[in-house]
Amino acid sequence: ETGVTQSPTHLIKTRGQQVTLRCSSQSGHNTVSWYQQALGQGPQFIFQYYREEENGRGNFPPRFSGLQFPNYSSELNVNALELDDSALYLCASSFDGLYYEQYFGPGTRLTVT
Amino acid sequence: DAKTTQPNSMESNEEEPVHLPCNHSTISGTDYIHWYRQLPSQGPEYVIHGLTSNVNNRMASLAIAEDRKSSTLILHRATLRDAAVYYCILSPTGANNLFFGTGTRLTVIP
């Protein structure tokens, strides 16, 4: 069974740029959720994709967008990067939108300068 | 979203049981209680969840108060690998996401 993988591991971007983060879900899972974790804080829900459709969104502006592909992998796109976007971005996969047993990847550390 | 209150930090000796408390006085009847933990430099890891009855799995036990206003995660025998931040989360039935607080940082002393 393959776990959740994310790429890249680390990324440095400049304010105003755009970034794409990638996530491969665990084998057999069709749901991907994205979270943002600032230093010293718990993860905050960005949105969830279920069968290629957005299935819920947290309190994040539209410049945070995503995609899910037929193989259930997913991308998180952030436009017009701001300094406050510096965080660990976590992807979690689950089956059929189940929220109580989500499997998280190791995250992508994004630094915006 | 219903709020949970956890101590910021706790310490335990290795090989002893650990009881991690969580208060959730505003819990509603449809809220599940979830516990996740986050080891250093890793993503969160599912530990256990329950609704009303106590639950056991290979990682831990979850004891839920009769009025459901509090719960306790029990690690039966702490190991150094259990050092992590433990999150107690409430989420209603049918919700598609988890709202994490700041959790309890558990230190395990050899």
Side-chain angles (χ1 to χ4, degrees):
Chain A
E1 188 176 79
T2 308
V4 177
T5 60
Q6 293 186 243
S7 63
T9 306
H10 296 89
L11 201 52
I12 300 174
K13 288 286 190 178
T14 303
R15 190 170 50 184
Q17 286 187 316
Q18 177 266 342
V19 69
T20 298
L21 311 181
R22 294 179 175 82
C23 170
S24 291
S25 59
Q26 182 160 309
S27 175
H29 286 179
N30 56 16
T31 304
V32 171
S33 302
W34 285 91
Y35 291 80
Q36 180 195 66
Q37 185 172 25
L39 210 56
Q41 303 295 316
Q44 286 193 63
F45 175 71
I46 303 175
F47 44 56
Q48 182 185 85
Y49 278 83
Y50 171 55
R51 294 186 176 178
E52 303 178 57
E53 298 284 333
E54 188 176 292
N55 183 42
R57 188 179 184 93
N59 189 26
F60 281 81
R63 59 189 185 83
F64 285 78
S65 63
L67 279 174
Q68 187 178 33
F69 300 100
N71 67 355
Y72 303 126
S73 66
S74 177
E75 284 182 357
L76 164 66
N77 299 292
V78 187
N79 293 323
L81 283 167
E82 301 176 0
L83 297 179
D84 283 350
D85 296 332
S86 295
L88 181 68
Y89 288 85
L90 295 159
C91 155
S93 77
S94 56
F95 181 68
D96 270 2
L98 289 176
Y99 58 94
Y100 50 76
E101 194 163 347
Q102 296 193 359
Y103 293 82
F104 283 80
T108 293
R109 171 73 60 191
L110 172 65
T111 302
V112 182
T113 61
Chain B
D1 302 289
K3 185 178 169 56
T4 62
T5 303
Q6 299 178 254
N8 288 334
S9 62
M10 291 183 64
E11 285 186 353
S12 173
N13 293 319
E14 196 177 7
E15 299 190 6
E16 290 190 356
V18 183
H19 290 232
L20 296 162
C22 181
N23 287 318
H24 29 79
S25 58
T26 59
I27 191 170
S28 75
T30 59
D31 284 341
Y32 278 83
I33 302 161
H34 312 263
W35 285 83
Y36 277 72
R37 71 180 185 181
Q38 189 169 17
L39 279 64
S41 303
Q42 294 189 26
E45 175 186 30
Y46 168 81
V47 177
I48 201 166
H49 78 281
L51 184 61
T52 55
S53 305
N54 294 343
V55 184
N56 299 296
N57 66 20
R58 63 176 179 79
M59 288 183 70
S61 295
L62 176 59
I64 302 173
E66 201 170 324
D67 63 7
R68 302 213 320 132
K69 293 185 185 300
S70 65
S71 61
T72 303
L73 179 71
I74 302 165
L75 307 179
H76 296 286
R77 206 162 149 268
T79 68
L80 295 179
R81 195 196 171 276
D82 292 321
V85 177
Y86 286 78
Y87 297 98
C88 169
I89 302 163
L90 299 185
S91 197
T93 306
N96 60 0
N97 59 77
L98 300 167
F99 284 90
F100 291 79
T102 51
T104 296
R105 181 173 299 279
L106 175 67
T107 300
V108 180
I109 302 167

